[in-house]
């Protein structure tokens, strides 16, 4: 043939043959040589004598060995031309094309395990590497085993040979209060699987799984906490509220009590907290009663006197994230009545 095509991988060294046919009527001496100027990363080697004699009407094969470089690119053209010259001076040639098969050698570099917090989106840096022998045009996807949503900073990429590209995976971690609450228990393990496909393809080229570990988190719901309390001089007002731990772990919490001047974080000496605990034990989803009083100790208050009561609730375990603040505005009011006036008909 005047042209020959050989399919091979970068790790094969196949042999092909070109046949020299003597169509004349006398035995002929043929000289053989190879033009390798376009071979690129595949070496074409003649393994037959460079001079052959062929009888009339007969043929002789010329063996050619193909030796690709281990990094030979499937994107490049690898071609050599075998020339045959008869003793009469006639030159003929045959082109041999080496078709390097695609070696999809892709690698995803990402952490093996990450912690996730309910209600907080988790961003995970990853790097993609192409160690194969062709430029890759890729789609990237990520699937969480429990169906959480995911996204990438770029989900369609091009990776050159020996190239790399940084990307960011975002996992949308649901909040408490939905159907996913069992998935958000402290210590629960899930996985997100990253997959690379050729654009338009459905066969995975490579995958990588990251373990998602749900971190302990503290969240509170409160009932009957007032936004404001009205006072007269010397009064004591009572709080009777209910706190519920809607996080994913039983906790012991520290209670920090402050009364600040309005709009500032400077302590007010006109009120004080009485009968308030410093700690509470808060099992998951169990309502806990909290009772205390705030006493106005200023006996001759200005009519415009006010302050901010602040309660800060913090888990005493530093590995548990989350703290909660509750505030009430304390106000002096001459128009405020502590109880309803009873009216009697005259």
């Amino acid at each position: 043939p005047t042209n020959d095509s050989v399919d091979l991988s970068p790790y094969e060294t196949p042999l092909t043959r070109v046949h020299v046919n003597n169509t004349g009527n006398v035995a002929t001496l043929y000289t053989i040589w190879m033009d390798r100027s376009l071979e690129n990363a595949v070496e074409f080697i003649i393994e037959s004598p460079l001079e052959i004699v062929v009888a009339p009407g007969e043929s002789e094969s010329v063996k050619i060995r193909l030796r690709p470089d281990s990094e030979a690119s499937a994107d490049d053209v690898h071609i050599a031309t075998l020339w045959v010259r008869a003793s009469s001076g006639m030159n003929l040639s045959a082109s041999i094309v080496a078709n390097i098969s695609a070696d999809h050698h892709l690698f995803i570099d990402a952490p093996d395990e990450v912690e996730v917090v309910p209600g907080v989106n988790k961003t995970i840096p990853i790097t993609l590497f192409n160690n194969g022998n062709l430029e890759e045009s890729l789609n990237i996807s990520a699937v969480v085993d429990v169906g959480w949503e995911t996204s990438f900073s770029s989900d369609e990429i091009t990776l050159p040979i020996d190239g790399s590209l940084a990307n960011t995976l975002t996992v949308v971690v649901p909040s408490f209060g939905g159907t996913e609450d069992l998935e958000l228990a402290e210590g629960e393990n899930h996985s997100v699987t990253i997959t690379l496909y050729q654009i338009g393809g459905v066969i995975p080229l490579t995958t990588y799984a990251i373990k998602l570990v749900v971190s302990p988190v503290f969240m509170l719901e409160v009932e009957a906490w007032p936004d404001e309390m009205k006072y007269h001089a010397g009064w004591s007002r009572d709080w009777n509220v209910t706190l519920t731990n809607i996080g994913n772990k039983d906790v012991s919490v520290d209670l920090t009590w402050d009364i600040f001047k309005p709009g500032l974080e400077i302590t007010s000496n006109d009120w004080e907290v009485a009968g308030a605990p410093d700690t509470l034990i808060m099992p998951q989803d169990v309502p806990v009663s909290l009772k205390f009083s705030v006493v106005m100790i200023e006996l001759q208050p200005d009519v415009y006197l006010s302050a901010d009561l602040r309660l800060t609730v913090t888990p005493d375990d530093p590995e548990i994230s989350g703290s909660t603040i509750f505030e009430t505005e304390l106000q002096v009011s001459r128009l405020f009545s502590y109880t309803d006036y009873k009216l009697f008909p005259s």
Side-chain angles (χ1 to χ4, degrees), residues 107-304:
F107 176 68
I108 301 171
D109 183 28
D112 296 327
E113 179 180 307
V114 297
E115 292 189 348
V116 295
V117 176
V120 180
N121 292 351
K122 182 66 177 183
T123 58
I124 306 171
I126 66 171
T127 305
L128 310 173
F129 294 89
N130 179 9
N131 297 328
N133 66 350
L134 75 163
E135 182 176 271
E136 299 277 11
S137 296
L138 303 167
N139 286 125
I140 181 170
S141 72
V143 177
V144 181
D145 57 359
V146 286
W148 299 346
E149 294 182 10
T150 63
S151 63
F152 287 94
S153 55
S154 178
D155 57 11
E156 187 172 299
I157 59 174
T158 299
L159 272 177
I161 297 172
D162 294 327
S164 64
L165 183 67
N167 208 330
T168 301
L169 166 64
T170 299
V171 178
V172 180
V173 184
S175 302
F176 293 117
T179 58
E180 304 91 349
D181 279 4
L182 291 178
E183 303 165 2
L184 300 173
E186 185 261 336
E188 279 292 302
N189 291 338
H190 306 294
S191 67
V192 55
T193 301
I194 303 169
T195 305
L196 295 177
Y197 302 89
Q198 284 185 309
I199 289 181
V202 296
I203 299 175
L205 299 179
T206 192
T207 62
Y208 189 87
I210 302 171
K211 181 188 290 187
L212 307 176
V213 182
V214 179
S215 299
V217 64
F218 174 65
M219 296 179 66
L220 274 183
E221 279 187 349
V222 63
E223 294 181 15
W225 184 279
D227 292 327
E228 63 179 17
M229 277 286 196
K230 304 288 189 179
Y231 279 85
H232 291 313
W235 275 15
S236 175
R237 302 297 305 273
D238 297 328
W239 273 247
N240 186 0
V241 301
T242 300
L243 303 178
T244 303
N245 173 12
I246 60 170
N248 60 2
K249 186 175 183 178
D250 297 343
V251 294
S252 174
V253 297
D254 297 323
L255 307 182
T256 303
W257 304 90
D258 295 291
I259 298 179
F260 294 127
K261 293 183 178 181
L264 302 171
E265 293 197 356
I266 299 174
T267 300
S268 170
N269 297 317
D270 299 315
W271 281 269
E272 65 180 11
V273 179
D278 295 325
T279 61
L280 287 176
I281 303 297
M282 303 204 67
Q284 280 183 264
D285 301 319
V286 177
V288 176
S289 177
L290 174 62
K291 298 180 180 180
F292 63 95
S293 300
V294 177
V295 181
M296 184 175 191
I297 58 177
E298 172 59 49
L299 299 179
Q300 294 181 322
D302 185 278
V303 68
Y304 300 110

Side-chain angles (χ1 to χ4, degrees), residues 13 24 47 61 69 72 85 90 103 107 117 123 125 141 232 237 259 261-262 290 293 311 326 328 344:
T13 58
E47 293 188 349
S61 66
D69 186 278
R85 182 174 62 194
M90 178 182 293
D103 178 21
F107 176 68
V117 176
T123 58
S141 72
H232 291 313
R237 302 297 305 273
I259 298 179
K261 293 183 178 181
L290 174 62
S293 300
L311 168 60
F326 302 110
T328 299
F344 300 97

